[in-house]
Amino acid sequence: MPLLEETTLPQEHPPTVPVVIIGNGPSGICLSYLLSGYKPYLDTATVHPNPILYRKLQDTKHLPITEQDLEYLSEGLEGRSKNPVAVLFDTLLHPNADFGYEFPPVLQWRRDKQQHIPHLVLGRATPGGAWHAMEGSMLTISLGIWMELPGVNYRDLTTGKRRDVTSDRATPEEMASYYRNYVKIKGLQKNFVDNTYVTSVQKLSRGHEGKGLENGHSEQGDGEVGGRNEGFDRNGVECLKNGGGALWEVRGYQKVQHGTHVPFSVFAENVVLATGASDSPVRLDAEGENLPFVFHSVSDLALEIGRRKLDANSDPVLIVGAGLCAADAVLCACNSGVRVLHAFRRGVNDPDLIFKQLPKTLYPEYHKVYNMMCSQTYANVSPSSDSNRPQAASIASSVCAKMCPKPQLVPGNVSGSAGVSLFPDYTSFPEHCVLSFQPDMKCLLQGSNSLKAFKISVALVLIGTNPNLFFLKDQGQYLGQDPTKPVSCKQNPIDIHPYTFECTKEPGLFAMGPLVGDNFVRFLKGGALGITSCLLKRLKKKGKIITGGGNDFI
């Protein structure tokens, strides 16, 4: 993300808003919908297939779900998210979806404009977030209906594009269009500020010198620990009079015409982190990873295929990783007639491989890649007599690398592979890691007992992504479940209260979506329910009047 040295602010008195949401992907959009006064009630014309949950809903059918006890409603529910509210909201929107059923939602939505909580949604591009940057022709892992947001049917906006009865998956292009149109259909535009880049989020505390300041992040270099304590004589005083709480100052800039950067600053009573997980690709930290032929996204491969005119006569493409992004890259290269070397650390029978969790009828292309990973493996060579890794690397790099031979199919290695048309110019390297990339376009692969050198044209390192929370102190590491490690959406998500999504280590700061382990749109909507429920109850307890109105803050 480009940074702007902020020296001046456009407003003499920055405005104060109850909620600032950082991120305008599906998480931020869904939260904006609920904060805008849309309330979910039990649809009395429907019956939920879970009798216990249905009885609970019947007892409080006069109340919106946002005003009910989410912990009570979530008791006993099971699903594919570790966050109980995410499982609750999913089962209300898609009852028994994990069993293959497509029951209608048991919710109906009513809008109460007097229950609107003013908020801003700050995003780097148009609403939809990272979906606008994805390869548009591939199919999503989730069904289209699972990725729709409350109140707007996905199929209504993609008429005639349903592919078949068994596969109702969408393309990223379709989903990006859906999310962009959703904001317009639901009249949420006034809440969204596009092309904004947040560079600093600081916690401001009034009346307690130093207290709460250490959790912000200062770019001013003025000796402050990371926050400000100015008494709030310029703005924001009123919101602190009742309760003596803290404010957040969100700073950044907005890109306008001709690439101009316009700085902004806004005070917020609450900040929601909804930035997703695609900011920073995970790196191997291998020698030569910064060389110009090494890339970290599938879209870069498509560009390189066109730019370099790679074909069957080119040196092969090396793809590193065993996840869905790596599989997408394999399909992209093979469909373009480019030879592929595919290296990954796991064994092909590892139970944690994502392919083992996907039904074959819904995801035939991914099972095709998995079949190749298992059956088209590189023929084992004689073990290296040199156990010293650096010296072995030196020896291998001095030898003229040979292309791998034509793969040998291993019969019976994968059930269901018979009759599947595989790509012949593909070779997998299970339980291998990249030792180094060399300037002469060679790559060294380290196996359990061997070292191999290959000449390649392009390398794709696709081993995951991490969020970039640089605008927080220590990149937000102190917010993780393990504060000694960087925040990671899979290994170390942000530690939150399970029913409010408020950060356990930072009151007034919330997180949702991949940051808290909900990596599928189907479940990230639960964060919107939990956060909205929390904020409504707090504002009601404080006796504050919530009114509608526009958000002319920036």
Side-chain angles (χ1 to χ4, degrees):
M1 176 189 294
L3 297 180
L4 178 69
E5 185 66 28
E6 298 168 340
T7 56
T8 60
L9 297 175
Q11 306 105 336
E12 182 180 355
H13 301 291
T16 301
V17 60
V19 183
V20 166
I21 303 167
I22 303 175
N24 66 353
S27 294
I29 296 172
C30 189
L31 180 54
S32 177
Y33 176 72
L34 268 69
L35 293 179
S36 296
Y38 289 95
K39 293 187 172 185
Y41 290 82
L42 173 66
D43 184 350
T44 56
T46 62
V47 177
H48 196 283
N50 183 319
I52 298 177
L53 176 60
Y54 184 61
R55 186 170 64 249
K56 294 178 181 179
L57 296 170
Q58 284 281 83
D59 291 341
T60 53
K61 59 185 177 182
H62 60 288
L63 291 175
I65 304 298
T66 48
E67 296 180 17
Q68 297 187 37
D69 186 339
L70 299 184
E71 182 175 2
Y72 172 66
L73 293 178
S74 301
E75 285 177 347
L77 298 180
E78 296 180 354
R80 298 182 182 180
S81 171
K82 295 181 180 179
N83 295 313
V85 178
V87 176
L88 169 65
F89 206 25
D90 177 68
T91 195
L92 295 176
L93 294 170
H94 306 288
N96 279 7
D98 286 337
F99 297 102
Y101 296 105
E102 192 177 320
F103 293 136
V106 297
L107 299 178
Q108 59 177 339
W109 294 86
R110 307 172 194 170
R111 190 176 190 187
D112 183 351
K113 293 184 178 180
Q114 295 306 310
Q115 291 289 303
H116 170 85
I117 301 178
H119 60 280
L120 285 176
V121 184
L122 308 180
R124 300 179 195 172
T126 55
W131 287 94
H132 292 288
M134 296 180 187
E135 173 60 39
S137 60
M138 295 179 179
L139 293 179
T140 60
I141 185 67
S142 297
L143 300 181
I145 58 171
W146 287 357
M147 295 187 294
E148 66 184 20
L149 300 181
V152 178
N153 191 296
Y154 154 76
R155 292 185 184 130
D156 290 344
L157 298 185
T158 54
T159 305
K161 293 184 179 180
R162 191 175 189 190
R163 287 158 182 84
D164 56 60
V165 175
T166 60
S167 181
D168 194 17
R169 294 158 63 194
T171 65
E173 183 180 16
E174 290 168 2
M175 295 316 305
S177 175
Y178 169 84
Y179 295 132
R180 184 174 56 247
N181 290 329
Y182 181 94
V183 171
K184 297 177 182 178
I185 292 171
K186 289 302 178 182
L188 306 177
Q189 301 100 313
K190 64 180 180 297
N191 305 316
F192 284 73
V193 186
D194 302 340
N195 304 313
T196 53
Y197 293 77
V198 173
T199 58
S200 174
V201 175
Q202 305 179 68
K203 191 172 187 179
L204 314 175
S205 184
R206 174 177 176 264
H208 300 278
E209 186 70 33
K211 184 177 181 180
L213 300 185
E214 71 278 6
N215 295 326
H217 174 67
S218 173
E219 297 182 348
Q220 311 306 315
D222 52 9
E224 296 181 16
V225 178
R228 297 163 179 256
N229 190 12
E230 301 176 358
F232 304 113
D233 55 340
R234 53 182 176 174
N235 201 326
V237 178
E238 292 302 321
C239 70
L240 291 175
K241 284 182 177 178
N242 297 323
L247 279 180
W248 296 87
E249 184 184 44
V250 180
R251 295 160 60 91
Y253 64 91
Q254 182 178 21
K255 280 187 177 181
V256 294
Q257 291 181 344
H258 309 298
T260 303
H261 292 177
V262 178
F264 71 84
S265 176
V266 61
F267 290 141
E269 298 178 55
N270 303 279
V271 172
V272 179
L273 303 175
T275 56
S278 59
D279 285 331
S280 301
V282 177
R283 299 175 63 85
L284 293 169
D285 292 329
E287 177 188 348
E289 193 170 358
N290 290 324
L291 290 170
F293 62 89
V294 182
F295 301 93
H296 295 82
S297 74
V298 179
S299 58
D300 287 327
L301 175 61
L303 291 174
E304 287 300 305
I305 289 176
R307 182 181 299 132
R308 301 192 187 189
K309 298 181 179 179
L310 302 179
D311 55 28
N313 297 319
S314 307
D315 289 327
V317 169
L318 173 69
I319 297 171
V320 183
L324 296 180
C325 285
D328 287 336
V330 168
L331 292 168
C332 178
C334 290
N335 287 330
S336 299
V338 180
R339 288 183 290 172
V340 173
L341 308 181
H342 185 191
F344 44 96
R345 290 179 179 270
R346 296 180 184 271
V348 294
N349 294 317
D350 191 314
D352 291 330
L353 283 175
I354 184 63
F355 309 100
K356 291 182 174 291
Q357 304 170 32
L358 303 178
K360 293 181 181 180
T361 54
L362 284 179
Y363 307 98
E365 77 278 25
Y366 288 131
H367 278 275
K368 182 176 184 178
V369 172
Y370 179 54
N371 287 339
M372 296 191 300
M373 289 168 62
C374 295
S375 61
Q376 297 181 206
T377 58
Y378 183 76
N380 289 327
V381 296
S382 300
S384 172
S385 61
D386 194 337
S387 60
N388 184 281
R389 192 171 177 179
Q391 186 176 350
S394 176
I395 294 173
S397 62
S398 66
V399 177
C400 180
K402 297 181 180 180
M403 299 307 302
C404 59
K406 186 175 181 180
Q408 299 287 329
L409 292 182
V410 182
N413 207 19
V414 182
S415 62
S417 61
V420 177
S421 177
L422 305 180
F423 296 108
D425 292 324
Y426 165 95
T427 306
S428 74
F429 293 81
E431 300 180 75
H432 278 70
C433 63
V434 175
L435 190 60
S436 69
F437 300 99
Q438 302 294 327
D440 59 356
M441 308 288 286
K442 291 177 183 175
C443 174
L444 304 181
L445 297 182
Q446 177 77 54
S448 59
N449 55 11
S450 64
L451 188 68
K452 309 173 183 69
F454 297 94
K455 189 80 177 338
I456 61 175
S457 58
V458 171
L460 268 291
V461 178
L462 302 170
I463 56 175
T465 57
N466 282 330
N468 188 349
L469 302 175
F470 79 98
F471 47 81
L472 295 171
K473 178 189 176 183
D474 297 330
Q475 300 194 37
Q477 180 169 312
Y478 73 102
L479 300 172
Q481 293 180 357
D482 183 349
T484 66
K485 299 179 181 179
V487 171
S488 167
C489 299
K490 293 184 178 180
Q491 281 76 36
N492 189 34
I494 290 178
D495 193 21
I496 57 168
H497 186 282
Y499 301 101
T500 67
F501 288 76
E502 187 172 31
C503 298
T504 57
K505 302 178 182 69
E506 196 66 275
L509 185 66
F510 297 79
M512 62 185 300
L515 292 175
V516 299
D518 286 327
N519 296 292
F520 293 98
V521 176
R522 177 181 164 190
F523 295 108
L524 59 77
K525 292 172 279 192
L529 176 62
I531 294 171
T532 302
S533 176
C534 173
L535 294 177
L536 284 171
K537 291 171 183 176
R538 283 187 183 174
L539 290 169
K540 183 178 180 180
K541 185 176 181 180
K542 291 180 179 180
K544 292 189 176 182
I545 299 176
I546 308 171
T547 60
N551 284 332
D552 300 325
F553 295 113
I554 298 179

